[in-house]
């Protein structure tokens, strides 16, 4: 609701509020970094309200304190981004409906498996003129076929949704090491440029690309490839083997994306969301790290166990995405066309040993 002001006659009249309000839906490692980036810009951009709300899935810390309260007291997400100040204009809100109230710029950054439930809770609770952007890697696999998260948001909430993907290891951006990202959009370039301004800083360069599906699939599929890279590292097969996987995985990413969506552009794979993100994720990141440990243990420790031990509450996306991609391939009869994607999933579920990734590479 627009604020009111008193006229010289004592009447209250509504004053149009043209400033945008931002809410970040998610408060994990990447969500907290996103809030930090955005909060530094809303203080500078006159078209935005200073305050940035961040929805926090409430947790009780070992100290007995609530996570949202500690974030607001310390200006720090002590569980998922310790040691980093988010900005005094970031406000942690544990109530989802309250967090999105009055916001017309919604930033979604949660594990993708939770998005359908989150969207169902938000139906009828957001502004009609709201715009969304998804920083989420993954897809929903339904009977009628795969559904990208941006499409899920648009379909369930009835709002336009852009995406932001790139070579973005959150902890590096948190300490302001240089990085870049790609905003994917459908038709409205002005909205894309607004998102670019909201995220851009001297250490975080953002550009726009008119290819939502291409940008989003790059961000999704690279997590499957990172699992494969972790297997190679865990087997100590060296950089030459990993480099060969880069080449073959990029080929599968491109082919899969363009089979699903003919609109996907070749050039998108040369943006930050494409080859740059693929390299970064396969050299570092949580998927590679857990897959490395899985291979070193000969596949005898489950990914669920390794996730809990290594990630300390963060979620592993690559294994679930590999399963979702496999379901699409099996349903469409494409398994033989994508040997890397197929092999990664079959290793993850124990059907093949970790060494199968090397046997695949030599095939």
């Amino acid at each position: 609701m627009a604020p009111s002001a008193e006229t010289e006659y004592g009447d209250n009249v509504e004053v149009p509020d043209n400033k945008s309000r931002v809410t970040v839906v998610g408060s994990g490692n990447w969500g907290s970094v996103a809030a930090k980036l955005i909060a530094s810009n809303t203080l500078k951009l006159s078209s935005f309200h200073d305050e940035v709300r961040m929805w926090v899935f409430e947790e009780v810390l070992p100290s007995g304190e609530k996570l949202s309260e500690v974030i607001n007291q310390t200006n720090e997400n002590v569980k998922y981004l310790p040691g980093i100040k988010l900005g005094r204009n970031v406000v942690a809100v544990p109530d989802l409906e309250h967090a999105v109230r009055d916001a017309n710029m919604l930033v979604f950054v949660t594990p993708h498996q939770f998005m359908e439930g989150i969207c169902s809770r938000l139906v009828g609770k957001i502004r009609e003129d709201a715009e969304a952007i998804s920083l989420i890697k993954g897809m929903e696999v339904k009977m009628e076929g795969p559904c990208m998260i941006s499409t899920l948001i648009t379909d369930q909430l009835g709002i336009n949704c852009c995406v932001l993907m790139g070579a973005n290891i959150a902890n590096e951006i948190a300490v302001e090491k240089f990085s870049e990202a790609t905003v994917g959009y459908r038709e409205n370039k002005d909205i894309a440029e607004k998102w670019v301004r909201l995220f851009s800083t001297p250490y975080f360069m953002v550009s726009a690309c008119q290819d939502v599906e291409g940008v989003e699939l790059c961000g999704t599929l690279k997590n499957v490839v990172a699992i494969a890279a972790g297997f190679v590292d865990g087997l100590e097969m060296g950089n030459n083997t990993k480099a060969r996987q880069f080449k073959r995985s990029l080929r599968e990413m491109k082919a899969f994306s363009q089979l699903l969506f003919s609109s996907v552009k070749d050039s998108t794979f040369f943006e930050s969301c494409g080859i740059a993100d693929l390299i970064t994720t396969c050299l570092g990141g949580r998927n590679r790290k857990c897959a490395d440990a899985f291979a070193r243990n000969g596949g005898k420790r489950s990914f669920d166990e390794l996730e809990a031990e290594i990630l300390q509450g963060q979620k592993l996306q690559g294994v679930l995405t590999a399963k979702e991609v496999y379901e699409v391939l099996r349903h469409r009869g494409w398994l033989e066309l994508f040997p890397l994607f197929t092999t990664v999933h079959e290793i993850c579920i124990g059907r093949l040993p970790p060494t199968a990734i090397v046997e695949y590479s030599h095939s």
Side-chain angles (χ1 to χ4, degrees):
M1 180 178 294
S4 62
E6 191 172 284
T7 70
E8 60 181 309
Y9 302 107
D11 300 321
N12 284 329
V13 297
E14 228 177 47
V15 177
D17 183 0
N18 296 320
K19 290 188 175 184
S20 294
R21 295 179 181 271
V22 185
T23 292
V24 178
V25 180
S27 57
N29 185 239
W30 186 210
S32 297
V33 173
K36 177 181 185 290
L37 289 168
I38 293 167
S40 70
N41 283 326
T42 58
L43 292 174
K44 303 171 187 174
L45 297 171
S46 60
S47 56
F48 289 89
H49 283 276
D50 290 353
E51 182 182 271
V52 176
R53 292 179 184 172
M54 181 174 72
W55 174 61
V56 175
F57 179 78
E58 193 67 279
E59 301 179 54
V60 177
L61 300 173
S63 64
E65 299 171 288
K66 293 180 178 179
L67 178 58
S68 64
E69 294 177 358
V70 173
I71 291 173
N72 288 332
Q73 290 164 5
T74 65
N75 191 230
E76 181 182 327
N77 189 331
V78 294
K79 180 168 184 179
Y80 296 112
L81 195 66
I84 302 296
K85 297 301 181 183
L86 302 180
R88 286 293 175 187
N89 52 323
V90 174
V91 178
V93 181
D95 182 281
L96 180 58
E97 291 182 23
H98 177 68
V100 303
R101 188 177 301 152
D102 299 327
N104 65 323
M105 303 287 282
L106 300 175
V107 181
F108 290 94
V109 52
T110 69
H112 77 276
Q113 59 266 37
F114 302 140
M115 273 306 297
E116 192 162 14
I118 288 172
C119 285
S120 66
R121 292 171 60 187
L122 291 179
V123 173
K125 309 295 184 185
I126 62 174
R127 285 173 50 165
E128 292 182 359
D129 64 342
E131 291 283 341
I133 193 166
S134 170
L135 280 60
I136 300 166
K137 285 84 172 177
M139 66 175 78
E140 292 280 334
V141 177
K142 302 177 181 294
M143 290 297 293
E144 59 272 23
C147 176
M148 304 311 298
I149 299 301
S150 63
T151 303
L152 177 73
I153 292 169
T154 294
D155 289 349
Q156 289 206 18
L157 300 181
I159 59 177
N160 180 55
C161 185
C162 296
V163 298
L164 183 144
M165 307 284 159
N168 306 145
I169 293 179
N171 287 334
E172 294 182 9
I173 302 169
V175 295
E176 303 187 1
K177 293 182 178 180
F178 186 80
S179 183
E180 62 179 10
T182 309
V183 168
Y185 70 98
R186 287 190 171 84
E187 297 176 0
N188 193 330
K189 188 174 182 179
D190 289 342
I191 290 298
E193 292 296 342
K194 190 172 183 178
W195 287 118
V196 167
R197 290 192 298 275
L198 188 60
F199 279 94
S200 293
T201 71
Y203 61 90
F204 192 65
M205 182 181 295
V206 186
S207 59
C209 172
Q210 191 174 9
D211 185 3
V212 168
E213 287 81 11
V215 172
E216 192 167 9
L217 276 164
C218 281
T220 295
L221 297 174
K222 56 96 180 190
N223 284 332
V224 180
V225 181
I227 297 289
F231 293 154
V232 171
D233 287 343
L235 295 168
E236 299 183 352
M237 291 303 297
N239 291 328
N240 293 338
T241 303
K242 190 189 284 188
R244 188 164 187 262
Q245 281 197 334
F246 283 162
K247 181 193 75 172
R248 302 186 80 175
S249 63
L250 188 61
R251 184 185 303 161
E252 290 198 15
M253 288 172 60
K254 181 173 175 288
F256 183 82
S257 300
Q258 293 178 334
L259 278 172
L260 285 182
F261 301 99
S262 60
S263 61
V264 170
K265 302 174 181 177
D266 289 349
S267 59
T268 300
F269 295 89
F270 297 96
E271 299 284 348
S272 178
C273 62
I275 186 67
D277 194 8
L278 182 63
I279 292 170
T280 294
T281 307
C282 290
L283 294 178
R286 65 187 74 164
N287 292 285
R288 190 218 62 81
K289 185 184 296 185
C290 289
D292 182 319
F294 183 88
R296 289 182 190 277
N297 285 277
K300 295 177 182 177
R301 297 183 66 192
S302 72
F303 273 105
D304 285 343
E305 182 183 355
L306 292 168
E307 176 188 80
E309 177 184 305
I310 297 172
L311 301 186
Q312 299 292 308
Q314 296 182 63
K315 292 299 179 182
L316 188 66
Q317 296 295 297
V319 174
L320 179 56
T321 302
K323 177 178 181 290
E324 292 164 341
V325 169
Y326 186 89
E327 290 176 0
V328 174
L329 299 179
R330 181 174 55 80
H331 179 72
R332 302 198 176 196
W334 294 346
L335 288 174
E336 292 185 2
L337 298 177
F338 297 90
L340 175 64
F341 291 164
T342 299
T343 301
V344 168
H345 172 66
E346 292 184 342
I347 293 172
C348 289
I349 64 173
R351 188 176 296 164
L352 293 173
T355 51
I357 201 68
V358 183
E359 294 163 8
Y360 148 75
S361 296
H362 291 168
S363 64

